Amino acid sequence: MLKTQLRKDFDTGNFKIGASVIKQFLWYFIDIFFFKSRLMPVSSVLIFLLKLFGAKIGKEVRIKPGIHIKYPWKLEVGDYSWLADCYIDNLDEVKIGKNCCISQQAVLITGNHNYKSTNFNLITAPIILEDGAWIGAAAKVCPGVTLHNHSVLTLGSIATKNLMPYAIYQGNPAVKIKDRSIKE
């Protein structure tokens, strides 16, 4: 039986950082001082910095202090979306539509390792939140998952597969528990 052989030169597959070493270095310090430190409570300043580093951000987006974004140049956020102090580990693209909400301590992970490979190769896949999707507090979204229009991932749940439109999902792994009806 083969054994795992972890080495520093493992296969990173399709992963590309997508930025110069200088840009990565600068982002590291901007992230620490303005985002992780929670010293900057003003959303417009955080948005300005994210855009400066290549994020595509729509109008009237709200970003809360304490948010973690691994690579802003791989982030797209649509109009009127809200991002609380969540954790976005975007080794691959993360696309967030309009009117989406990512609640406190939610986690979006676009990368993982191939446990079937002897050298534990890196695997990445994008995460997409279509318009009106909502990720509840402390919920987690796995690589390659799409939350379709107006779907909801409830508090503490883990999305390992795509969520259907206008549906509410709960649990680990998350399963549909009911349809979402939106009233005015």
Side-chain angles (χ1 to χ4, degrees), residues 5-42:
Q5 300 172 7
L6 299 178
R7 298 184 302 266
K8 75 176 192 173
D9 62 338
F10 72 95
D11 183 4
T12 59
N14 63 347
F15 174 68
K16 303 275 186 262
I17 291 177
S20 70
V21 173
I22 293 169
K23 188 174 187 177
Q24 293 173 60
F25 180 78
L26 290 171
W27 174 247
Y28 176 79
F29 288 103
I30 293 291
D31 186 34
I32 287 172
F33 292 121
F34 289 96
F35 291 82
K36 290 179 183 163
S37 72
R38 300 177 182 261
L39 293 175
M40 179 51 63
V42 182

mmCIF file of all heavy atoms in Angstrom, residues 5-42:
data_model
loop_
_atom_site.group_PDB
_atom_site.id
_atom_site.type_symbol
_atom_site.label_atom_id
_atom_site.label_comp_id
_atom_site.label_asym_id
_atom_site.label_seq_id
_atom_site.Cartn_x
_atom_site.Cartn_y
_atom_site.Cartn_z
ATOM 1 N N GLN A 5 3.518 11.104 0.786
ATOM 2 C CA GLN A 5 4.889 11.604 0.812
ATOM 3 C C GLN A 5 4.858 13.119 0.646
ATOM 4 O O GLN A 5 4.938 13.640 -0.466
ATOM 5 C CB GLN A 5 5.707 10.973 -0.318
ATOM 6 C CG GLN A 5 5.777 9.470 -0.234
ATOM 7 C CD GLN A 5 6.419 8.861 -1.480
ATOM 8 O OE1 GLN A 5 6.918 9.561 -2.342
ATOM 9 N NE2 GLN A 5 6.406 7.554 -1.540
ATOM 10 N N LEU A 6 4.733 13.820 1.756
ATOM 11 C CA LEU A 6 4.645 15.272 1.700
ATOM 12 C C LEU A 6 6.016 15.888 1.476
ATOM 13 O O LEU A 6 6.956 15.616 2.195
ATOM 14 C CB LEU A 6 4.040 15.816 2.994
ATOM 15 C CG LEU A 6 2.628 15.332 3.299
ATOM 16 C CD1 LEU A 6 2.158 15.888 4.619
ATOM 17 C CD2 LEU A 6 1.684 15.719 2.192
ATOM 18 N N ARG A 7 6.089 16.715 0.452
ATOM 19 C CA ARG A 7 7.330 17.416 0.121
ATOM 20 C C ARG A 7 6.988 18.863 -0.175
ATOM 21 O O ARG A 7 5.857 19.191 -0.523
ATOM 22 C CB ARG A 7 7.987 16.777 -1.101
ATOM 23 C CG ARG A 7 8.387 15.328 -0.905
ATOM 24 C CD ARG A 7 9.131 14.799 -2.130
ATOM 25 N NE ARG A 7 8.372 14.882 -3.358
ATOM 26 C CZ ARG A 7 7.629 13.887 -3.857
ATOM 27 N NH1 ARG A 7 7.537 12.746 -3.221
ATOM 28 N NH2 ARG A 7 6.991 14.042 -4.992
ATOM 29 N N LYS A 8 7.973 19.725 -0.083
ATOM 30 C CA LYS A 8 7.699 21.137 -0.354
ATOM 31 C C LYS A 8 7.434 21.402 -1.829
ATOM 32 O O LYS A 8 6.892 22.423 -2.198
ATOM 33 C CB LYS A 8 8.815 22.029 0.170
ATOM 34 C CG LYS A 8 10.080 22.019 -0.627
ATOM 35 C CD LYS A 8 11.055 23.018 -0.066
ATOM 36 C CE LYS A 8 12.201 23.221 -1.032
ATOM 37 N NZ LYS A 8 13.076 24.277 -0.633
ATOM 38 N N ASP A 9 7.774 20.467 -2.702
ATOM 39 C CA ASP A 9 7.561 20.658 -4.135
ATOM 40 C C ASP A 9 6.338 19.883 -4.645
ATOM 41 O O ASP A 9 6.317 19.421 -5.760
ATOM 42 C CB ASP A 9 8.815 20.255 -4.917
ATOM 43 C CG ASP A 9 9.167 18.785 -4.754
ATOM 44 O OD1 ASP A 9 8.731 18.161 -3.760
ATOM 45 O OD2 ASP A 9 9.869 18.258 -5.630
ATOM 46 N N PHE A 10 5.286 19.784 -3.796
ATOM 47 C CA PHE A 10 4.089 19.066 -4.227
ATOM 48 C C PHE A 10 3.426 19.771 -5.402
ATOM 49 O O PHE A 10 3.641 20.954 -5.641
ATOM 50 C CB PHE A 10 3.113 18.841 -3.064
ATOM 51 C CG PHE A 10 2.395 20.068 -2.601
ATOM 52 C CD1 PHE A 10 1.133 20.360 -3.093
ATOM 53 C CD2 PHE A 10 2.949 20.912 -1.668
ATOM 54 C CE1 PHE A 10 0.450 21.480 -2.664
ATOM 55 C CE2 PHE A 10 2.274 22.042 -1.234
ATOM 56 C CZ PHE A 10 1.028 22.322 -1.734
ATOM 57 N N ASP A 11 2.608 19.040 -6.138
ATOM 58 C CA ASP A 11 1.955 19.558 -7.334
ATOM 59 C C ASP A 11 0.844 20.533 -6.945
ATOM 60 O O ASP A 11 -0.071 20.183 -6.211
ATOM 61 C CB ASP A 11 1.382 18.384 -8.135
ATOM 62 C CG ASP A 11 0.732 18.817 -9.437
ATOM 63 O OD1 ASP A 11 0.785 20.008 -9.779
ATOM 64 O OD2 ASP A 11 0.173 17.939 -10.112
ATOM 65 N N THR A 12 0.927 21.767 -7.439
ATOM 66 C CA THR A 12 -0.103 22.764 -7.139
ATOM 67 C C THR A 12 -1.207 22.794 -8.187
ATOM 68 O O THR A 12 -2.069 23.661 -8.142
ATOM 69 C CB THR A 12 0.524 24.169 -7.004
ATOM 70 O OG1 THR A 12 1.185 24.492 -8.221
ATOM 71 C CG2 THR A 12 1.480 24.240 -5.837
ATOM 72 N N GLY A 13 -1.190 21.856 -9.113
ATOM 73 C CA GLY A 13 -2.261 21.748 -10.100
ATOM 74 C C GLY A 13 -2.484 23.031 -10.860
ATOM 75 O O GLY A 13 -1.551 23.622 -11.381
ATOM 76 N N ASN A 14 -3.744 23.516 -10.880
ATOM 77 C CA ASN A 14 -4.093 24.716 -11.638
ATOM 78 C C ASN A 14 -3.904 26.011 -10.843
ATOM 79 O O ASN A 14 -4.237 27.082 -11.302
ATOM 80 C CB ASN A 14 -5.539 24.620 -12.138
ATOM 81 C CG ASN A 14 -6.535 24.561 -10.993
ATOM 82 O OD1 ASN A 14 -6.167 24.352 -9.841
ATOM 83 N ND2 ASN A 14 -7.805 24.709 -11.304
ATOM 84 N N PHE A 15 -3.352 25.927 -9.645
ATOM 85 C CA PHE A 15 -3.217 27.103 -8.787
ATOM 86 C C PHE A 15 -2.140 28.056 -9.278
ATOM 87 O O PHE A 15 -1.009 27.677 -9.513
ATOM 88 C CB PHE A 15 -2.908 26.693 -7.347
ATOM 89 C CG PHE A 15 -2.614 27.866 -6.457
ATOM 90 C CD1 PHE A 15 -3.611 28.770 -6.134
ATOM 91 C CD2 PHE A 15 -1.350 28.082 -5.955
ATOM 92 C CE1 PHE A 15 -3.351 29.861 -5.325
ATOM 93 C CE2 PHE A 15 -1.076 29.167 -5.137
ATOM 94 C CZ PHE A 15 -2.080 30.050 -4.818
ATOM 95 N N LYS A 16 -2.536 29.309 -9.428
ATOM 96 C CA LYS A 16 -1.624 30.404 -9.750
ATOM 97 C C LYS A 16 -1.993 31.569 -8.833
ATOM 98 O O LYS A 16 -3.159 31.930 -8.722
ATOM 99 C CB LYS A 16 -1.782 30.851 -11.207
ATOM 100 C CG LYS A 16 -1.584 29.749 -12.228
ATOM 101 C CD LYS A 16 -0.124 29.565 -12.555
ATOM 102 C CE LYS A 16 0.080 28.574 -13.667
ATOM 103 N NZ LYS A 16 0.410 27.251 -13.281
ATOM 104 N N ILE A 17 -0.993 32.160 -8.180
ATOM 105 C CA ILE A 17 -1.275 33.278 -7.284
ATOM 106 C C ILE A 17 -1.851 34.453 -8.065
ATOM 107 O O ILE A 17 -2.778 35.099 -7.619
ATOM 108 C CB ILE A 17 -0.023 33.686 -6.483
ATOM 109 C CG1 ILE A 17 0.306 32.576 -5.488
ATOM 110 C CG2 ILE A 17 -0.241 35.015 -5.760
ATOM 111 C CD1 ILE A 17 1.554 32.792 -4.684
ATOM 112 N N GLY A 18 -1.308 34.728 -9.223
ATOM 113 C CA GLY A 18 -1.868 35.776 -10.071
ATOM 114 C C GLY A 18 -1.443 37.182 -9.715
ATOM 115 O O GLY A 18 -2.118 38.145 -10.082
ATOM 116 N N ALA A 19 -0.346 37.326 -8.962
ATOM 117 C CA ALA A 19 0.149 38.654 -8.606
ATOM 118 C C ALA A 19 1.657 38.584 -8.412
ATOM 119 O O ALA A 19 2.207 37.536 -8.072
ATOM 120 C CB ALA A 19 -0.522 39.142 -7.329
ATOM 121 N N SER A 20 2.290 39.720 -8.581
ATOM 122 C CA SER A 20 3.737 39.782 -8.385
ATOM 123 C C SER A 20 4.080 39.586 -6.910
ATOM 124 O O SER A 20 3.235 39.761 -6.030
ATOM 125 C CB SER A 20 4.265 41.140 -8.853
ATOM 126 O OG SER A 20 3.826 42.164 -7.975
ATOM 127 N N VAL A 21 5.322 39.276 -6.640
ATOM 128 C CA VAL A 21 5.797 39.108 -5.269
ATOM 129 C C VAL A 21 5.627 40.410 -4.486
ATOM 130 O O VAL A 21 5.241 40.397 -3.313
ATOM 131 C CB VAL A 21 7.272 38.630 -5.255
ATOM 132 C CG1 VAL A 21 7.825 38.610 -3.848
ATOM 133 C CG2 VAL A 21 7.399 37.261 -5.903
ATOM 134 N N ILE A 22 5.872 41.527 -5.136
ATOM 135 C CA ILE A 22 5.731 42.835 -4.473
ATOM 136 C C ILE A 22 4.273 43.076 -4.078
ATOM 137 O O ILE A 22 3.976 43.501 -2.964
ATOM 138 C CB ILE A 22 6.255 43.975 -5.373
ATOM 139 C CG1 ILE A 22 7.766 43.834 -5.537
ATOM 140 C CG2 ILE A 22 5.878 45.343 -4.816
ATOM 141 C CD1 ILE A 22 8.359 44.726 -6.596
ATOM 142 N N LYS A 23 3.347 42.785 -4.992
ATOM 143 C CA LYS A 23 1.919 42.959 -4.704
ATOM 144 C C LYS A 23 1.492 42.060 -3.541
ATOM 145 O O LYS A 23 0.767 42.495 -2.648
ATOM 146 C CB LYS A 23 1.096 42.638 -5.956
ATOM 147 C CG LYS A 23 -0.375 42.956 -5.838
ATOM 148 C CD LYS A 23 -1.056 42.742 -7.181
ATOM 149 C CE LYS A 23 -2.480 43.194 -7.186
ATOM 150 N NZ LYS A 23 -3.112 43.039 -8.499
ATOM 151 N N GLN A 24 1.956 40.821 -3.532
ATOM 152 C CA GLN A 24 1.640 39.898 -2.438
ATOM 153 C C GLN A 24 2.179 40.419 -1.114
ATOM 154 O O GLN A 24 1.490 40.364 -0.086
ATOM 155 C CB GLN A 24 2.246 38.527 -2.706
ATOM 156 C CG GLN A 24 1.648 37.799 -3.880
ATOM 157 C CD GLN A 24 2.428 36.536 -4.168
ATOM 158 O OE1 GLN A 24 2.518 35.667 -3.315
ATOM 159 N NE2 GLN A 24 2.997 36.449 -5.349
ATOM 160 N N PHE A 25 3.418 40.912 -1.129
ATOM 161 C CA PHE A 25 4.062 41.447 0.066
ATOM 162 C C PHE A 25 3.282 42.642 0.608
ATOM 163 O O PHE A 25 2.992 42.724 1.805
ATOM 164 C CB PHE A 25 5.509 41.833 -0.272
ATOM 165 C CG PHE A 25 6.290 42.389 0.870
ATOM 166 C CD1 PHE A 25 6.817 41.549 1.839
ATOM 167 C CD2 PHE A 25 6.502 43.760 0.981
ATOM 168 C CE1 PHE A 25 7.548 42.062 2.897
ATOM 169 C CE2 PHE A 25 7.231 44.283 2.037
ATOM 170 C CZ PHE A 25 7.748 43.432 3.006
ATOM 171 N N LEU A 26 2.931 43.585 -0.261
ATOM 172 C CA LEU A 26 2.172 44.758 0.154
ATOM 173 C C LEU A 26 0.801 44.363 0.709
ATOM 174 O O LEU A 26 0.351 44.906 1.722
ATOM 175 C CB LEU A 26 2.010 45.741 -1.008
ATOM 176 C CG LEU A 26 3.283 46.467 -1.439
ATOM 177 C CD1 LEU A 26 3.036 47.251 -2.729
ATOM 178 C CD2 LEU A 26 3.783 47.379 -0.336
ATOM 179 N N TRP A 27 0.116 43.423 0.040
ATOM 180 C CA TRP A 27 -1.189 42.982 0.515
ATOM 181 C C TRP A 27 -1.087 42.371 1.908
ATOM 182 O O TRP A 27 -1.944 42.594 2.756
ATOM 183 C CB TRP A 27 -1.849 42.004 -0.445
ATOM 184 C CG TRP A 27 -3.112 41.465 0.158
ATOM 185 C CD1 TRP A 27 -3.355 40.185 0.561
ATOM 186 C CD2 TRP A 27 -4.292 42.211 0.484
ATOM 187 N NE1 TRP A 27 -4.605 40.088 1.126
ATOM 188 C CE2 TRP A 27 -5.207 41.318 1.082
ATOM 189 C CE3 TRP A 27 -4.656 43.538 0.329
ATOM 190 C CZ2 TRP A 27 -6.457 41.715 1.530
ATOM 191 C CZ3 TRP A 27 -5.913 43.936 0.776
ATOM 192 C CH2 TRP A 27 -6.795 43.039 1.364
ATOM 193 N N TYR A 28 -0.038 41.623 2.156
ATOM 194 C CA TYR A 28 0.167 40.989 3.466
ATOM 195 C C TYR A 28 0.089 42.042 4.577
ATOM 196 O O TYR A 28 -0.615 41.853 5.571
ATOM 197 C CB TYR A 28 1.518 40.267 3.482
ATOM 198 C CG TYR A 28 1.857 39.656 4.815
ATOM 199 C CD1 TYR A 28 1.298 38.443 5.207
ATOM 200 C CD2 TYR A 28 2.721 40.301 5.696
ATOM 201 C CE1 TYR A 28 1.597 37.882 6.441
ATOM 202 C CE2 TYR A 28 3.029 39.755 6.925
ATOM 203 C CZ TYR A 28 2.464 38.548 7.293
ATOM 204 O OH TYR A 28 2.754 37.997 8.521
ATOM 205 N N PHE A 29 0.781 43.153 4.415
ATOM 206 C CA PHE A 29 0.793 44.189 5.453
ATOM 207 C C PHE A 29 -0.491 45.013 5.481
ATOM 208 O O PHE A 29 -0.989 45.355 6.558
ATOM 209 C CB PHE A 29 2.034 45.077 5.305
ATOM 210 C CG PHE A 29 3.281 44.348 5.707
ATOM 211 C CD1 PHE A 29 4.144 43.857 4.745
ATOM 212 C CD2 PHE A 29 3.556 44.089 7.044
ATOM 213 C CE1 PHE A 29 5.276 43.147 5.107
ATOM 214 C CE2 PHE A 29 4.682 43.386 7.417
ATOM 215 C CZ PHE A 29 5.555 42.908 6.449
ATOM 216 N N ILE A 30 -1.053 45.324 4.334
ATOM 217 C CA ILE A 30 -2.340 46.032 4.291
ATOM 218 C C ILE A 30 -3.403 45.189 4.995
ATOM 219 O O ILE A 30 -4.200 45.698 5.785
ATOM 220 C CB ILE A 30 -2.758 46.322 2.828
ATOM 221 C CG1 ILE A 30 -1.811 47.315 2.169
ATOM 222 C CG2 ILE A 30 -4.209 46.785 2.739
ATOM 223 C CD1 ILE A 30 -1.877 48.728 2.710
ATOM 224 N N ASP A 31 -3.410 43.895 4.714
ATOM 225 C CA ASP A 31 -4.366 42.963 5.328
ATOM 226 C C ASP A 31 -4.237 42.971 6.848
ATOM 227 O O ASP A 31 -5.224 43.068 7.569
ATOM 228 C CB ASP A 31 -4.135 41.562 4.757
ATOM 229 C CG ASP A 31 -5.172 40.556 5.220
ATOM 230 O OD1 ASP A 31 -6.343 40.927 5.410
ATOM 231 O OD2 ASP A 31 -4.807 39.382 5.382
ATOM 232 N N ILE A 32 -3.025 42.898 7.341
ATOM 233 C CA ILE A 32 -2.794 42.875 8.791
ATOM 234 C C ILE A 32 -3.236 44.187 9.440
ATOM 235 O O ILE A 32 -3.957 44.187 10.427
ATOM 236 C CB ILE A 32 -1.308 42.595 9.111
ATOM 237 C CG1 ILE A 32 -0.981 41.138 8.820
ATOM 238 C CG2 ILE A 32 -0.995 42.925 10.575
ATOM 239 C CD1 ILE A 32 0.498 40.809 8.907
ATOM 240 N N PHE A 33 -2.803 45.311 8.876
ATOM 241 C CA PHE A 33 -3.052 46.597 9.527
ATOM 242 C C PHE A 33 -4.471 47.126 9.368
ATOM 243 O O PHE A 33 -5.012 47.737 10.270
ATOM 244 C CB PHE A 33 -2.049 47.650 9.043
ATOM 245 C CG PHE A 33 -0.644 47.365 9.500
ATOM 246 C CD1 PHE A 33 0.367 47.185 8.574
ATOM 247 C CD2 PHE A 33 -0.334 47.256 10.846
ATOM 248 C CE1 PHE A 33 1.665 46.911 8.989
ATOM 249 C CE2 PHE A 33 0.959 46.983 11.273
ATOM 250 C CZ PHE A 33 1.958 46.808 10.342
ATOM 251 N N PHE A 34 -5.098 46.890 8.221
ATOM 252 C CA PHE A 34 -6.411 47.471 7.979
ATOM 253 C C PHE A 34 -7.566 46.491 8.128
ATOM 254 O O PHE A 34 -8.671 46.888 8.473
ATOM 255 C CB PHE A 34 -6.469 48.096 6.576
ATOM 256 C CG PHE A 34 -5.661 49.348 6.462
ATOM 257 C CD1 PHE A 34 -4.377 49.297 5.965
ATOM 258 C CD2 PHE A 34 -6.177 50.567 6.864
ATOM 259 C CE1 PHE A 34 -3.612 50.447 5.857
ATOM 260 C CE2 PHE A 34 -5.422 51.719 6.765
ATOM 261 C CZ PHE A 34 -4.126 51.663 6.262
ATOM 262 N N PHE A 35 -7.355 45.228 7.839
ATOM 263 C CA PHE A 35 -8.446 44.256 7.845
ATOM 264 C C PHE A 35 -8.443 43.403 9.118
ATOM 265 O O PHE A 35 -9.397 43.431 9.882
ATOM 266 C CB PHE A 35 -8.379 43.374 6.592
ATOM 267 C CG PHE A 35 -8.709 44.128 5.334
ATOM 268 C CD1 PHE A 35 -7.746 44.902 4.688
ATOM 269 C CD2 PHE A 35 -9.977 44.085 4.794
ATOM 270 C CE1 PHE A 35 -8.045 45.612 3.529
ATOM 271 C CE2 PHE A 35 -10.293 44.800 3.636
ATOM 272 C CZ PHE A 35 -9.321 45.561 3.012
ATOM 273 N N LYS A 36 -7.390 42.663 9.350
ATOM 274 C CA LYS A 36 -7.350 41.759 10.509
ATOM 275 C C LYS A 36 -7.304 42.489 11.838
ATOM 276 O O LYS A 36 -7.795 41.984 12.843
ATOM 277 C CB LYS A 36 -6.162 40.810 10.384
ATOM 278 C CG LYS A 36 -6.343 39.801 9.280
ATOM 279 C CD LYS A 36 -5.144 38.888 9.169
ATOM 280 C CE LYS A 36 -5.343 37.953 7.999
ATOM 281 N NZ LYS A 36 -4.101 37.320 7.572
ATOM 282 N N SER A 37 -6.699 43.662 11.879
ATOM 283 C CA SER A 37 -6.566 44.396 13.138
ATOM 284 C C SER A 37 -7.894 44.955 13.627
ATOM 285 O O SER A 37 -8.022 45.303 14.793
ATOM 286 C CB SER A 37 -5.585 45.554 12.963
ATOM 287 O OG SER A 37 -6.167 46.564 12.167
ATOM 288 N N ARG A 38 -8.861 45.095 12.733
ATOM 289 C CA ARG A 38 -10.166 45.685 13.040
ATOM 290 C C ARG A 38 -10.079 47.167 13.399
ATOM 291 O O ARG A 38 -11.004 47.739 13.950
ATOM 292 C CB ARG A 38 -10.887 44.921 14.150
ATOM 293 C CG ARG A 38 -11.156 43.487 13.821
ATOM 294 C CD ARG A 38 -11.808 42.770 14.993
ATOM 295 N NE ARG A 38 -12.018 41.377 14.694
ATOM 296 C CZ ARG A 38 -13.168 40.862 14.295
ATOM 297 N NH1 ARG A 38 -14.204 41.639 14.131
ATOM 298 N NH2 ARG A 38 -13.273 39.578 14.061
ATOM 299 N N LEU A 39 -8.936 47.803 13.117
ATOM 300 C CA LEU A 39 -8.761 49.217 13.445
ATOM 301 C C LEU A 39 -9.482 50.138 12.467
ATOM 302 O O LEU A 39 -9.680 51.308 12.765
ATOM 303 C CB LEU A 39 -7.274 49.573 13.474
ATOM 304 C CG LEU A 39 -6.467 48.912 14.593
ATOM 305 C CD1 LEU A 39 -4.986 49.256 14.443
ATOM 306 C CD2 LEU A 39 -6.983 49.340 15.957
ATOM 307 N N MET A 40 -9.849 49.615 11.301
ATOM 308 C CA MET A 40 -10.493 50.443 10.279
ATOM 309 C C MET A 40 -11.963 50.031 10.153
ATOM 310 O O MET A 40 -12.285 49.085 9.449
ATOM 311 C CB MET A 40 -9.782 50.284 8.935
ATOM 312 C CG MET A 40 -10.404 51.082 7.807
ATOM 313 S SD MET A 40 -10.681 52.829 8.144
ATOM 314 C CE MET A 40 -9.035 53.408 8.393
ATOM 315 N N PRO A 41 -12.854 50.720 10.857
ATOM 316 C CA PRO A 41 -14.269 50.343 10.810
ATOM 317 C C PRO A 41 -15.029 50.916 9.613
ATOM 318 O O PRO A 41 -16.212 50.668 9.461
ATOM 319 C CB PRO A 41 -14.812 50.926 12.114
ATOM 320 C CG PRO A 41 -13.970 52.136 12.341
ATOM 321 C CD PRO A 41 -12.596 51.779 11.812
ATOM 322 N N VAL A 42 -14.365 51.700 8.761
ATOM 323 C CA VAL A 42 -15.038 52.380 7.668
ATOM 324 C C VAL A 42 -15.012 51.506 6.413
ATOM 325 O O VAL A 42 -13.955 51.243 5.846
ATOM 326 C CB VAL A 42 -14.385 53.755 7.392
ATOM 327 C CG1 VAL A 42 -15.105 54.479 6.284
ATOM 328 C CG2 VAL A 42 -14.347 54.585 8.660
#
